[in-house]
Amino acid sequence: MPLLSVVLPVYRVQAYLRECLDSILEQTFTDVEVIAVDDCSPDHSGAILDEYAARDKRVRVVHLAENAGLGEARNAGMRHVTGEFVWFIDSDDWIAPGALAAVADRLITADPDVLVVDYAKVWWNNKSRRSKLSGLVRAEELPRVFTLAEYPNMIKTFHVAWNKIFRRDFLVKNEITYPTGLYEDVPVGYPVLMVADRITVLERVCIYYRQRRRGAITSTPGRRHFEVFDQYDLLFERLDKIGARAEPFRGLVFGRMLYQCLLVLENRERVAKSDRREFFQALAKAYKRHLPSGGYELPEGQEGHRQRLVARGSWTRYRIARITLRLTNSVKFRKDKLQRKVRLRSRLRMRYYRQQLRRPVDKNLAVYSAYWGKGYACNPKAVYEKMNELAPGVRGVWEIKPGQEDSVPAGIATVTIGTMEHYKALARAKYLITNVNYPGWVVKRRDAVHLSTNHGTPVKAMGVDQLKFPAGLQGMNMNWLLKRCDRWTFNISPNAYTSEIWERAYPCDYETLEVGYPRNDSLANATPADVAAARERLGLKPGQTAIAYLPTYRDYEFGSDALLNVERFTDRMPPETVLLVRVHHFDRSHVAGTHPRVIDLGDYPSVEDIYLAADAMITDYSSVMFDYAVLDRPLAIYAADWSKYKANRGAYLDVFTEGPGVTARNESELVDLFISGEVFGETAAATRKVFRDRFCYLDDGHASERVVRRVFLNQPAPALPDAGAVPVVHTEQLQELRSVFDESQPRDLSTAQATTEDDTDISEEPSAVVGR
């Protein structure tokens, strides 16, 4: 009778079988038998086994008449075992040189029921990693033999069969067999440790666990992975039979169930995408079914968060959480690598930039940028002006694209992008402020402060949420984007709604400044004189009614037919009506044409002037709806392609039920809304108030101050306004607008007053993806 019997189930492993057999048979320790079970393998594995059996009497082959699966193949092999101890080894793995001698020595000296050995994972590219057994127990600190009750942490060892050697009589006495189906180790790996009176550990790598790139059963997508729940049901049945000896470990086993099933769920090579929701729901049911009567203490950190979502049965939240975590980890893993992949037009300039990084940080220098250096605008402009007022010791300089230096007002310092002065400023400045993102090669220094102001309240899906939609990531590398967002020290949010989205869409380590949008201050604080000046700058005449049309762009198509036919629409409006058209800066394919009452403002530098000048606005899914709501003026949503937009780009809001006014699905409906005066009516005003209460409560004219005090002065920000503290609708103004369309009579709206003490959110232009 040999000391050790190796049971070797074999199925479709002809590429690896010889290595496995050789690793066993060529050991210096020879008191071993190999019971190789050909599980009706369709390849040449059976013939290889017969070949080895013919030349080595220690090998015996059992040919099964039909495929039975791994568990039954092990059971079949067990019926032929003659050795004192049994080792179940998978036939695509192999054992380490000297392992059998070390195993035999421990079996002889310790005489255990179960011997647990260490292993190492080996990938197809020959990279390897040892298991975490040594992190669970230190063999030198353990007695020669022990029970699980004495060292309960052992329950966390990998529950598979091949890292354990069993006394044959122990298996027979306890009627331990393997079930059919995948994950057959589950109902065996845990109970054997609970019922064993003598456990010992061999803390050396005895087996190499092959991580097959293709072809492993457990790495093949399919419905069979749902069998893991059947195996855990069987496990808990066996724990019931064990009785009191198993009770102390129910909570630990329950936790291992959650841990393993979540690993299966998150493995793209196992559960198909179309099955993941159902798998998650099955796990939530298993949670309720097997929750220990004494309760279960969730682990700390991300694992506890995942399990908490399982307990709640919240698939949507779980999916979002896992996407964000995966992308965050991906960014962290590639961070150093990405920073070395620098693309500059001049190596000399890059060398100069790196040299400047070695020089001290200029604590009184701030570099500003809006829309990748396009000009002096948006939230960065508002922060800059308030910084000059409250922190005059800090010098601000603006990066500007070549040829656009004249777009910046006189007296404001600039550096032209691509020049040595530009690289020096970016390298030395303590503060970098932008409403998009600085290039990927920009390094965040230890003492630097990066402020992301953003430039819109999100309607469309942003950041990692875009992964759920086909058009969301066109032309974008998400890893690059998140790597840039990792540099943010502060990230401005205009309201609680946006804070939640930003933290999910850009899962990076920044401080959220939920203070309102700085550039909205100019709208909230606007006076009648400011309104009149804006109208004059745009060429509007007294008595004209201005309607602004500001659509967003479609990532998936340009020049979309879903955009409004501005000339035809204007022809159907009263003669006093002027249409102010500003298409998104990413899509200039749709322009205003030559209609005398249509003004093309696509290149006009200040969107705030358009807001102030317009008596009403039309948009679609653009974030300008939040901006314009600061003024509490009539707003219509033209959503001709809503279903298509949601499916391709994704949206956080339903513009029909959550929008700030009236909504139309086609041009005729839109015209009727204006001609009938419904856009100016009380129902629209009530809808707008609900919208403003939800999104605009922080835009009270002091957002810039709150930002500057926190970022530049490190002071507590002034108290925030109460949610819902928004001004009442200007009924008289709305009645006057309605009369223009009802009576088609000229009205002088040049003195239309901007709402004061307004609290709304704003975005400079239709929202673009951060980092584009």
Side-chain angles (χ1 to χ4, degrees), residues 184-211:
E184 72 293 331
D185 292 318
V186 166
V188 177
Y190 296 110
V192 292
L193 296 177
M194 296 177 190
V195 299
D197 293 320
R198 300 174 63 85
I199 302 173
T200 190
V201 173
L202 181 59
E203 194 183 346
R204 64 164 286 173
V205 172
C206 293
I207 191 164
Y208 292 108
Y209 178 33
R210 188 188 305 275
Q211 304 299 289

PDB file of all heavy atoms in Angstrom, residues 184-211:
ATOM      1  N   GLU A 184     -17.589  22.416  -7.663  1.00  0.00           N
ATOM      2  CA  GLU A 184     -17.794  21.218  -6.856  1.00  0.00           C
ATOM      3  C   GLU A 184     -16.937  21.215  -5.591  1.00  0.00           C
ATOM      4  O   GLU A 184     -17.212  20.446  -4.655  1.00  0.00           O
ATOM      5  CB  GLU A 184     -17.476  19.972  -7.693  1.00  0.00           C
ATOM      6  CG  GLU A 184     -16.005  19.744  -7.989  1.00  0.00           C
ATOM      7  CD  GLU A 184     -15.386  20.799  -8.900  1.00  0.00           C
ATOM      8  OE1 GLU A 184     -16.133  21.357  -9.722  1.00  0.00           O
ATOM      9  OE2 GLU A 184     -14.171  21.066  -8.782  1.00  0.00           O
ATOM     10  N   ASP A 185     -15.931  22.083  -5.513  1.00  0.00           N
ATOM     11  CA  ASP A 185     -15.082  22.145  -4.327  1.00  0.00           C
ATOM     12  C   ASP A 185     -15.799  22.764  -3.128  1.00  0.00           C
ATOM     13  O   ASP A 185     -15.420  22.517  -1.979  1.00  0.00           O
ATOM     14  CB  ASP A 185     -13.816  22.974  -4.611  1.00  0.00           C
ATOM     15  CG  ASP A 185     -12.898  22.287  -5.602  1.00  0.00           C
ATOM     16  OD1 ASP A 185     -12.723  21.067  -5.479  1.00  0.00           O
ATOM     17  OD2 ASP A 185     -12.364  22.969  -6.490  1.00  0.00           O
ATOM     18  N   VAL A 186     -16.804  23.596  -3.404  1.00  0.00           N
ATOM     19  CA  VAL A 186     -17.435  24.376  -2.339  1.00  0.00           C
ATOM     20  C   VAL A 186     -17.994  23.509  -1.213  1.00  0.00           C
ATOM     21  O   VAL A 186     -17.696  23.745  -0.035  1.00  0.00           O
ATOM     22  CB  VAL A 186     -18.525  25.298  -2.932  1.00  0.00           C
ATOM     23  CG1 VAL A 186     -19.423  25.855  -1.830  1.00  0.00           C
ATOM     24  CG2 VAL A 186     -17.882  26.430  -3.717  1.00  0.00           C
ATOM     25  N   PRO A 187     -18.793  22.467  -1.503  1.00  0.00           N
ATOM     26  CA  PRO A 187     -19.394  21.704  -0.402  1.00  0.00           C
ATOM     27  C   PRO A 187     -18.415  20.767   0.303  1.00  0.00           C
ATOM     28  O   PRO A 187     -18.809  20.075   1.248  1.00  0.00           O
ATOM     29  CB  PRO A 187     -20.500  20.887  -1.102  1.00  0.00           C
ATOM     30  CG  PRO A 187     -20.682  21.505  -2.441  1.00  0.00           C
ATOM     31  CD  PRO A 187     -19.347  22.049  -2.802  1.00  0.00           C
ATOM     32  N   VAL A 188     -17.170  20.726  -0.169  1.00  0.00           N
ATOM     33  CA  VAL A 188     -16.178  19.845   0.430  1.00  0.00           C
ATOM     34  C   VAL A 188     -15.082  20.621   1.152  1.00  0.00           C
ATOM     35  O   VAL A 188     -14.697  20.297   2.277  1.00  0.00           O
ATOM     36  CB  VAL A 188     -15.538  18.925  -0.636  1.00  0.00           C
ATOM     37  CG1 VAL A 188     -14.441  18.060  -0.022  1.00  0.00           C
ATOM     38  CG2 VAL A 188     -16.594  18.053  -1.280  1.00  0.00           C
ATOM     39  N   GLY A 189     -14.601  21.677   0.516  1.00  0.00           N
ATOM     40  CA  GLY A 189     -13.429  22.378   1.030  1.00  0.00           C
ATOM     41  C   GLY A 189     -13.602  22.953   2.419  1.00  0.00           C
ATOM     42  O   GLY A 189     -12.641  22.976   3.210  1.00  0.00           O
ATOM     43  N   TYR A 190     -14.799  23.393   2.745  1.00  0.00           N
ATOM     44  CA  TYR A 190     -15.035  23.957   4.073  1.00  0.00           C
ATOM     45  C   TYR A 190     -15.351  22.885   5.128  1.00  0.00           C
ATOM     46  O   TYR A 190     -14.758  22.894   6.222  1.00  0.00           O
ATOM     47  CB  TYR A 190     -16.159  24.991   4.011  1.00  0.00           C
ATOM     48  CG  TYR A 190     -15.824  26.183   3.155  1.00  0.00           C
ATOM     49  CD1 TYR A 190     -16.463  26.388   1.937  1.00  0.00           C
ATOM     50  CD2 TYR A 190     -14.863  27.104   3.550  1.00  0.00           C
ATOM     51  CE1 TYR A 190     -16.170  27.471   1.142  1.00  0.00           C
ATOM     52  CE2 TYR A 190     -14.552  28.199   2.753  1.00  0.00           C
ATOM     53  CZ  TYR A 190     -15.203  28.384   1.556  1.00  0.00           C
ATOM     54  OH  TYR A 190     -14.892  29.458   0.773  1.00  0.00           O
ATOM     55  N   PRO A 191     -16.262  21.952   4.854  1.00  0.00           N
ATOM     56  CA  PRO A 191     -16.583  20.946   5.883  1.00  0.00           C
ATOM     57  C   PRO A 191     -15.396  20.095   6.318  1.00  0.00           C
ATOM     58  O   PRO A 191     -15.306  19.721   7.489  1.00  0.00           O
ATOM     59  CB  PRO A 191     -17.657  20.090   5.206  1.00  0.00           C
ATOM     60  CG  PRO A 191     -18.312  20.996   4.230  1.00  0.00           C
ATOM     61  CD  PRO A 191     -17.186  21.854   3.708  1.00  0.00           C
ATOM     62  N   VAL A 192     -14.486  19.778   5.399  1.00  0.00           N
ATOM     63  CA  VAL A 192     -13.374  18.908   5.793  1.00  0.00           C
ATOM     64  C   VAL A 192     -12.525  19.551   6.883  1.00  0.00           C
ATOM     65  O   VAL A 192     -11.986  18.863   7.759  1.00  0.00           O
ATOM     66  CB  VAL A 192     -12.494  18.541   4.578  1.00  0.00           C
ATOM     67  CG1 VAL A 192     -13.256  17.648   3.602  1.00  0.00           C
ATOM     68  CG2 VAL A 192     -11.953  19.784   3.868  1.00  0.00           C
ATOM     69  N   LEU A 193     -12.415  20.892   6.846  1.00  0.00           N
ATOM     70  CA  LEU A 193     -11.646  21.574   7.883  1.00  0.00           C
ATOM     71  C   LEU A 193     -12.401  21.600   9.201  1.00  0.00           C
ATOM     72  O   LEU A 193     -11.800  21.575  10.283  1.00  0.00           O
ATOM     73  CB  LEU A 193     -11.310  22.994   7.438  1.00  0.00           C
ATOM     74  CG  LEU A 193     -10.403  23.131   6.212  1.00  0.00           C
ATOM     75  CD1 LEU A 193     -10.215  24.596   5.850  1.00  0.00           C
ATOM     76  CD2 LEU A 193      -9.053  22.472   6.455  1.00  0.00           C
ATOM     77  N   MET A 194     -13.730  21.646   9.131  1.00  0.00           N
ATOM     78  CA  MET A 194     -14.523  21.717  10.353  1.00  0.00           C
ATOM     79  C   MET A 194     -14.532  20.395  11.115  1.00  0.00           C
ATOM     80  O   MET A 194     -14.515  20.372  12.347  1.00  0.00           O
ATOM     81  CB  MET A 194     -15.962  22.123  10.009  1.00  0.00           C
ATOM     82  CG  MET A 194     -16.089  23.511   9.406  1.00  0.00           C
ATOM     83  SD  MET A 194     -17.804  23.877   8.960  1.00  0.00           S
ATOM     84  CE  MET A 194     -17.567  25.390   8.017  1.00  0.00           C
ATOM     85  N   VAL A 195     -14.578  19.288  10.400  1.00  0.00           N
ATOM     86  CA  VAL A 195     -14.691  17.982  11.065  1.00  0.00           C
ATOM     87  C   VAL A 195     -13.336  17.354  11.357  1.00  0.00           C
ATOM     88  O   VAL A 195     -13.269  16.352  12.086  1.00  0.00           O
ATOM     89  CB  VAL A 195     -15.549  17.016  10.217  1.00  0.00           C
ATOM     90  CG1 VAL A 195     -16.945  17.568  10.046  1.00  0.00           C
ATOM     91  CG2 VAL A 195     -14.905  16.747   8.867  1.00  0.00           C
ATOM     92  N   ALA A 196     -12.267  17.923  10.805  1.00  0.00           N
ATOM     93  CA  ALA A 196     -10.934  17.337  11.012  1.00  0.00           C
ATOM     94  C   ALA A 196     -10.456  17.580  12.436  1.00  0.00           C
ATOM     95  O   ALA A 196     -10.564  18.687  12.961  1.00  0.00           O
ATOM     96  CB  ALA A 196      -9.949  17.926  10.013  1.00  0.00           C
ATOM     97  N   ASP A 197      -9.909  16.529  13.050  1.00  0.00           N
ATOM     98  CA  ASP A 197      -9.328  16.653  14.387  1.00  0.00           C
ATOM     99  C   ASP A 197      -7.852  17.020  14.333  1.00  0.00           C
ATOM    100  O   ASP A 197      -7.300  17.533  15.316  1.00  0.00           O
ATOM    101  CB  ASP A 197      -9.481  15.336  15.157  1.00  0.00           C
ATOM    102  CG  ASP A 197     -10.929  15.028  15.471  1.00  0.00           C
ATOM    103  OD1 ASP A 197     -11.674  15.977  15.826  1.00  0.00           O
ATOM    104  OD2 ASP A 197     -11.330  13.848  15.352  1.00  0.00           O
ATOM    105  N   ARG A 198      -7.234  16.763  13.168  1.00  0.00           N
ATOM    106  CA  ARG A 198      -5.794  17.003  13.050  1.00  0.00           C
ATOM    107  C   ARG A 198      -5.518  17.682  11.704  1.00  0.00           C
ATOM    108  O   ARG A 198      -5.590  17.044  10.653  1.00  0.00           O
ATOM    109  CB  ARG A 198      -5.015  15.694  13.158  1.00  0.00           C
ATOM    110  CG  ARG A 198      -5.217  14.958  14.488  1.00  0.00           C
ATOM    111  CD  ARG A 198      -4.541  13.594  14.479  1.00  0.00           C
ATOM    112  NE  ARG A 198      -3.090  13.707  14.332  1.00  0.00           N
ATOM    113  CZ  ARG A 198      -2.246  13.914  15.339  1.00  0.00           C
ATOM    114  NH1 ARG A 198      -2.724  14.048  16.579  1.00  0.00           N
ATOM    115  NH2 ARG A 198      -0.946  13.980  15.122  1.00  0.00           N
ATOM    116  N   ILE A 199      -5.251  18.963  11.754  1.00  0.00           N
ATOM    117  CA  ILE A 199      -4.900  19.746  10.563  1.00  0.00           C
ATOM    118  C   ILE A 199      -3.443  20.170  10.690  1.00  0.00           C
ATOM    119  O   ILE A 199      -2.977  20.524  11.779  1.00  0.00           O
ATOM    120  CB  ILE A 199      -5.793  20.995  10.425  1.00  0.00           C
ATOM    121  CG1 ILE A 199      -7.267  20.605  10.349  1.00  0.00           C
ATOM    122  CG2 ILE A 199      -5.405  21.811   9.184  1.00  0.00           C
ATOM    123  CD1 ILE A 199      -8.219  21.783  10.384  1.00  0.00           C
ATOM    124  N   THR A 200      -2.734  20.161   9.583  1.00  0.00           N
ATOM    125  CA  THR A 200      -1.366  20.665   9.578  1.00  0.00           C
ATOM    126  C   THR A 200      -1.130  21.450   8.291  1.00  0.00           C
ATOM    127  O   THR A 200      -1.885  21.319   7.323  1.00  0.00           O
ATOM    128  CB  THR A 200      -0.343  19.528   9.708  1.00  0.00           C
ATOM    129  OG1 THR A 200       0.960  20.088   9.938  1.00  0.00           O
ATOM    130  CG2 THR A 200      -0.308  18.678   8.454  1.00  0.00           C
ATOM    131  N   VAL A 201      -0.101  22.265   8.301  1.00  0.00           N
ATOM    132  CA  VAL A 201       0.181  23.161   7.174  1.00  0.00           C
ATOM    133  C   VAL A 201       1.624  22.970   6.728  1.00  0.00           C
ATOM    134  O   VAL A 201       2.545  22.896   7.557  1.00  0.00           O
ATOM    135  CB  VAL A 201      -0.055  24.635   7.570  1.00  0.00           C
ATOM    136  CG1 VAL A 201       0.409  25.563   6.465  1.00  0.00           C
ATOM    137  CG2 VAL A 201      -1.520  24.876   7.875  1.00  0.00           C
ATOM    138  N   LEU A 202       1.812  22.902   5.405  1.00  0.00           N
ATOM    139  CA  LEU A 202       3.146  22.873   4.811  1.00  0.00           C
ATOM    140  C   LEU A 202       3.326  24.159   4.022  1.00  0.00           C
ATOM    141  O   LEU A 202       2.786  24.319   2.929  1.00  0.00           O
ATOM    142  CB  LEU A 202       3.308  21.650   3.898  1.00  0.00           C
ATOM    143  CG  LEU A 202       4.671  21.488   3.218  1.00  0.00           C
ATOM    144  CD1 LEU A 202       5.778  21.393   4.254  1.00  0.00           C
ATOM    145  CD2 LEU A 202       4.668  20.261   2.314  1.00  0.00           C
ATOM    146  N   GLU A 203       4.061  25.081   4.611  1.00  0.00           N
ATOM    147  CA  GLU A 203       4.182  26.419   4.018  1.00  0.00           C
ATOM    148  C   GLU A 203       5.332  26.462   3.021  1.00  0.00           C
ATOM    149  O   GLU A 203       6.343  27.133   3.217  1.00  0.00           O
ATOM    150  CB  GLU A 203       4.380  27.468   5.111  1.00  0.00           C
ATOM    151  CG  GLU A 203       4.182  28.895   4.615  1.00  0.00           C
ATOM    152  CD  GLU A 203       4.446  29.916   5.707  1.00  0.00           C
ATOM    153  OE1 GLU A 203       4.511  29.536   6.881  1.00  0.00           O
ATOM    154  OE2 GLU A 203       4.602  31.090   5.360  1.00  0.00           O
ATOM    155  N   ARG A 204       5.152  25.753   1.952  1.00  0.00           N
ATOM    156  CA  ARG A 204       6.044  25.833   0.802  1.00  0.00           C
ATOM    157  C   ARG A 204       5.218  25.565  -0.435  1.00  0.00           C
ATOM    158  O   ARG A 204       4.201  24.872  -0.387  1.00  0.00           O
ATOM    159  CB  ARG A 204       7.203  24.831   0.905  1.00  0.00           C
ATOM    160  CG  ARG A 204       6.791  23.383   0.897  1.00  0.00           C
ATOM    161  CD  ARG A 204       7.970  22.460   0.607  1.00  0.00           C
ATOM    162  NE  ARG A 204       8.359  22.509  -0.794  1.00  0.00           N
ATOM    163  CZ  ARG A 204       9.453  21.898  -1.279  1.00  0.00           C
ATOM    164  NH1 ARG A 204      10.272  21.252  -0.459  1.00  0.00           N
ATOM    165  NH2 ARG A 204       9.748  21.940  -2.559  1.00  0.00           N
ATOM    166  N   VAL A 205       5.624  26.124  -1.546  1.00  0.00           N
ATOM    167  CA  VAL A 205       4.873  25.953  -2.784  1.00  0.00           C
ATOM    168  C   VAL A 205       5.041  24.518  -3.248  1.00  0.00           C
ATOM    169  O   VAL A 205       6.149  24.078  -3.575  1.00  0.00           O
ATOM    170  CB  VAL A 205       5.356  26.928  -3.867  1.00  0.00           C
ATOM    171  CG1 VAL A 205       4.695  26.605  -5.205  1.00  0.00           C
ATOM    172  CG2 VAL A 205       5.056  28.362  -3.466  1.00  0.00           C
ATOM    173  N   CYS A 206       3.945  23.801  -3.249  1.00  0.00           N
ATOM    174  CA  CYS A 206       3.954  22.407  -3.666  1.00  0.00           C
ATOM    175  C   CYS A 206       3.298  22.183  -5.020  1.00  0.00           C
ATOM    176  O   CYS A 206       3.532  21.151  -5.658  1.00  0.00           O
ATOM    177  CB  CYS A 206       3.265  21.536  -2.623  1.00  0.00           C
ATOM    178  SG  CYS A 206       4.145  21.426  -1.053  1.00  0.00           S
ATOM    179  N   ILE A 207       2.445  23.122  -5.425  1.00  0.00           N
ATOM    180  CA  ILE A 207       1.736  22.943  -6.684  1.00  0.00           C
ATOM    181  C   ILE A 207       1.642  24.276  -7.417  1.00  0.00           C
ATOM    182  O   ILE A 207       1.521  25.339  -6.790  1.00  0.00           O
ATOM    183  CB  ILE A 207       0.334  22.347  -6.430  1.00  0.00           C
ATOM    184  CG1 ILE A 207      -0.300  21.907  -7.756  1.00  0.00           C
ATOM    185  CG2 ILE A 207      -0.558  23.327  -5.683  1.00  0.00           C
ATOM    186  CD1 ILE A 207      -1.481  20.968  -7.573  1.00  0.00           C
ATOM    187  N   TYR A 208       1.728  24.195  -8.732  1.00  0.00           N
ATOM    188  CA  TYR A 208       1.599  25.378  -9.575  1.00  0.00           C
ATOM    189  C   TYR A 208       0.230  25.349 -10.245  1.00  0.00           C
ATOM    190  O   TYR A 208      -0.114  24.410 -10.965  1.00  0.00           O
ATOM    191  CB  TYR A 208       2.711  25.410 -10.620  1.00  0.00           C
ATOM    192  CG  TYR A 208       4.061  25.647 -10.015  1.00  0.00           C
ATOM    193  CD1 TYR A 208       5.004  24.619  -9.936  1.00  0.00           C
ATOM    194  CD2 TYR A 208       4.402  26.893  -9.493  1.00  0.00           C
ATOM    195  CE1 TYR A 208       6.250  24.831  -9.372  1.00  0.00           C
ATOM    196  CE2 TYR A 208       5.646  27.115  -8.926  1.00  0.00           C
ATOM    197  CZ  TYR A 208       6.552  26.085  -8.857  1.00  0.00           C
ATOM    198  OH  TYR A 208       7.787  26.290  -8.278  1.00  0.00           O
ATOM    199  N   TYR A 209      -0.524  26.400  -9.970  1.00  0.00           N
ATOM    200  CA  TYR A 209      -1.906  26.522 -10.418  1.00  0.00           C
ATOM    201  C   TYR A 209      -1.912  27.293 -11.737  1.00  0.00           C
ATOM    202  O   TYR A 209      -1.737  28.503 -11.768  1.00  0.00           O
ATOM    203  CB  TYR A 209      -2.700  27.237  -9.325  1.00  0.00           C
ATOM    204  CG  TYR A 209      -4.148  27.518  -9.608  1.00  0.00           C
ATOM    205  CD1 TYR A 209      -4.934  26.677 -10.386  1.00  0.00           C
ATOM    206  CD2 TYR A 209      -4.760  28.643  -9.066  1.00  0.00           C
ATOM    207  CE1 TYR A 209      -6.265  26.944 -10.606  1.00  0.00           C
ATOM    208  CE2 TYR A 209      -6.092  28.926  -9.272  1.00  0.00           C
ATOM    209  CZ  TYR A 209      -6.839  28.065 -10.050  1.00  0.00           C
ATOM    210  OH  TYR A 209      -8.164  28.332 -10.266  1.00  0.00           O
ATOM    211  N   ARG A 210      -2.163  26.601 -12.827  1.00  0.00           N
ATOM    212  CA  ARG A 210      -2.077  27.202 -14.157  1.00  0.00           C
ATOM    213  C   ARG A 210      -3.266  28.121 -14.412  1.00  0.00           C
ATOM    214  O   ARG A 210      -4.420  27.719 -14.273  1.00  0.00           O
ATOM    215  CB  ARG A 210      -2.031  26.121 -15.233  1.00  0.00           C
ATOM    216  CG  ARG A 210      -1.761  26.655 -16.629  1.00  0.00           C
ATOM    217  CD  ARG A 210      -1.912  25.559 -17.667  1.00  0.00           C
ATOM    218  NE  ARG A 210      -1.073  24.407 -17.377  1.00  0.00           N
ATOM    219  CZ  ARG A 210       0.208  24.287 -17.736  1.00  0.00           C
ATOM    220  NH1 ARG A 210       0.793  25.262 -18.392  1.00  0.00           N
ATOM    221  NH2 ARG A 210       0.887  23.208 -17.437  1.00  0.00           N
ATOM    222  N   GLN A 211      -2.967  29.346 -14.801  1.00  0.00           N
ATOM    223  CA  GLN A 211      -4.007  30.310 -15.189  1.00  0.00           C
ATOM    224  C   GLN A 211      -4.093  30.300 -16.705  1.00  0.00           C
ATOM    225  O   GLN A 211      -3.394  31.027 -17.400  1.00  0.00           O
ATOM    226  CB  GLN A 211      -3.660  31.702 -14.663  1.00  0.00           C
ATOM    227  CG  GLN A 211      -3.440  31.771 -13.165  1.00  0.00           C
ATOM    228  CD  GLN A 211      -4.660  31.380 -12.394  1.00  0.00           C
ATOM    229  OE1 GLN A 211      -5.660  32.103 -12.357  1.00  0.00           O
ATOM    230  NE2 GLN A 211      -4.624  30.215 -11.757  1.00  0.00           N
TER     231      GLN A 211
END
